[in-house]
Amino acid sequence: MGERIGARRVAIVGAGPAGLMVAEVLARAMQHEPLAVDVYDAMPSAGRKFLLAGIGGLNLTHSEPFDDFVRRFGPRQRALSDWLGHFGPDEVQLWASDLGVETFVGSSGRIFPRDMKAAPLLRAWLARLRAAGVRFHHRHRWLGWPDAQPVEGAAPGDSGRPLRFATPEGEREIQADVVVLALGGGSWARLGSDGAWVDILRRRQVDVAPLAPANCGFDVQTRTPEGTARVGWSDHLRQRFAGHPLKAVALRVDGLRQPRFERRGEFVITQSGIEGSLVYAASSWLRDDIEKHGLASLTLDLLPDHSPERIMTELRHPRGARSFSSHLKTRLGLHGAKAALLYEMLSREQLADPVWLGAAIKALPLNLVAPRPLDEAISTAGGVRLEAMTPGLMLKRAPGVFCAGEMLDWEAPTGGYLLTACLSSGRVVGGSVLDWLHGQPARQD
Ligand SMILES: Cc1cc2nc3c(=O)[nH]c(=O)nc-3n(C[C@H](O)[C@H](O)[C@H](O)COP(=O)(O)OP(=O)(O)OC[C@H]3O[C@@H](n4cnc5c(N)ncnc54)[C@H](O)[C@@H]3O)c2cc1C
């Protein structure tokens, strides 16, 4: 499709859900105004992390009431409420349906495509964008702007500087009237989002909060039989139980007067600690505690459906010739990873004392010393501070440059909140780009 004379050029860097949603808004406008929309991405194809999310069933959004949904964004809920008011969970479902993908509400209230796959949705989306005239340029890694002084009277994107890209044919410079950065966070770098943009934007004096892992696993601190603190599990627990889930447990992170986090769910023992949905849900508190105090503590209830009294009765029940572990299994259903964790954390004397053991089953303390590295996390906290942007998500320091998606400074648990917020911010940016262009003098080609 040829470019219309006098068309304004928008360069979108990053072909994840946020960048593609910006392209979608602009693709609609292209039908009645002269616009050229180009999407650049470092990877050989679009939406790699979106496709990875499909492996877990692609949790697109959540069905809980809007106010509850917005509260998941913690300190950023005010800004998010504005974005989600334009394009929230209902709109995400309509959008998917419009692309031929019907959704359903799972038992936990989470919303998924019926086939629980990302590929058909992404395929239909890209086809629609291409048909509308959006052009894609893969294997284009954005390197920033040249360091030269701004060009007098030039187009607005970072004061008229061209964008520099590394491509298989060598470095290319691209001029655009508006630039949209939708570069993702810093996890799973092999899928394209490596956080290299942080330094580029900081060099332009853009305020970027340090990137940190969100929805991540942690390394534990345990003690050797001699009482020395160590990072990770004993060889026995690691070799026998790494990869094993602990199901139907409750996890609590205490606060001064009341728990800051308390929920039931499941998690997994890893080589050096813990990960999984219940841990991810608590991860922002645990990560922040480690950052402040060097250590985070959580408490596990291994049998949340059993009262302490019932546990005591079962533990005191005569065990006859049965071994201790088979007693725990038959009387309380404690076996596998749950029982192994008790053996790991308690001394021989504590295990033999029903009062100690009963208390530990209901409230087993676990210390965490470090979040797992950012690259392993589901998502990224930190990013371009919203205070560095206009409400329309344009950088105050670089008029004509907009940012969308996970590279902005907000975080949320898993549950469809991440994708919804990325799509929603893309919607906001698309509208703001059009408003910005409408306020600029027409191009003279
Ligand atoms: C294992 C896993 C499962 C997940 N499951 C879910 C889920 O079920 N539900 C949910 O809501 N969220 C889920 N997420 C999170 C969700 O996928 C992300 O929040 C979302 O993809 C972020 O969208 P984005 O467009 O901001 O960034 P990204 O999807 O990361 O896209 C950014 C794009 O920018 C490109 N890019 C980066 N740097 C450059 C550069 N310098 N030059 C050119 N291109 C560049 C990248 O190649 C990439 O294509 C999951 C994440 C992971 C890791």
Side-chain angles (χ1 to χ4, degrees), residues 14 16-18 41-43 52-53 59 140 142 183-184 192-193 378 405-406 419:
D41 199 286
M43 300 301 284
L52 177 74
N59 182 192
H140 275 61
W142 180 58
L183 302 166
S193 317
I378 300 286
E406 204 182 304
L419 281 174

Side-chain angles (χ1 to χ4, degrees), residues 36 53 83 87 130 158 177 223 250 258 272 278 439:
W83 309 352
F87 192 87
R130 284 202 174 95
D158 195 41
D177 295 283
R223 294 204 169 268
Q258 56 188 24
S272 58
L278 188 56

Side-chain angles (χ1 to χ4, degrees), residues 190-206:
R190 62 189 175 282
L191 301 180
S193 317
D194 58 8
W197 54 266
V198 172
D199 285 344
I200 301 175
L201 291 188
R202 283 200 177 135
R203 280 204 296 276
R204 293 269 167 259
Q205 272 84 49
V206 175

Side-chain angles (χ1 to χ4, degrees), residues 85-128:
H86 289 105
F87 192 87
D90 292 346
E91 288 76 16
V92 169
Q93 291 168 77
L94 286 172
W95 162 78
S97 164
D98 204 36
L99 283 165
V101 173
E102 295 308 325
T103 53
F104 75 97
V105 183
S107 53
S108 57
R110 297 173 180 222
I111 294 177
F112 300 89
R114 275 209 186 286
D115 61 3
M116 301 195 79
K117 289 184 181 148
L121 184 57
L122 183 62
R123 248 194 326 267
W125 198 9
L126 292 172
R128 185 162 82 182

Side-chain angles (χ1 to χ4, degrees), residues 13-19 40-43 45-50 52-54 56-60 140-143 165 182-185 187-188 191-197 200 377-379 404-407 410 415-420 422:
V13 194
Y40 300 88
D41 199 286
M43 300 301 284
S45 59
R48 296 222 164 177
K49 197 176 270 183
F50 187 71
L52 177 74
L58 194 69
N59 182 192
L60 275 174
H140 275 61
R141 173 169 296 284
W142 180 58
L143 302 174
F165 285 94
L183 302 166
S187 76
W188 291 72
L191 301 180
S193 317
D194 58 8
W197 54 266
I200 301 175
I378 300 286
S379 61
E406 204 182 304
M407 68 181 292
W410 55 269
Y417 307 102
L418 301 165
L419 281 174
T420 304
C422 289

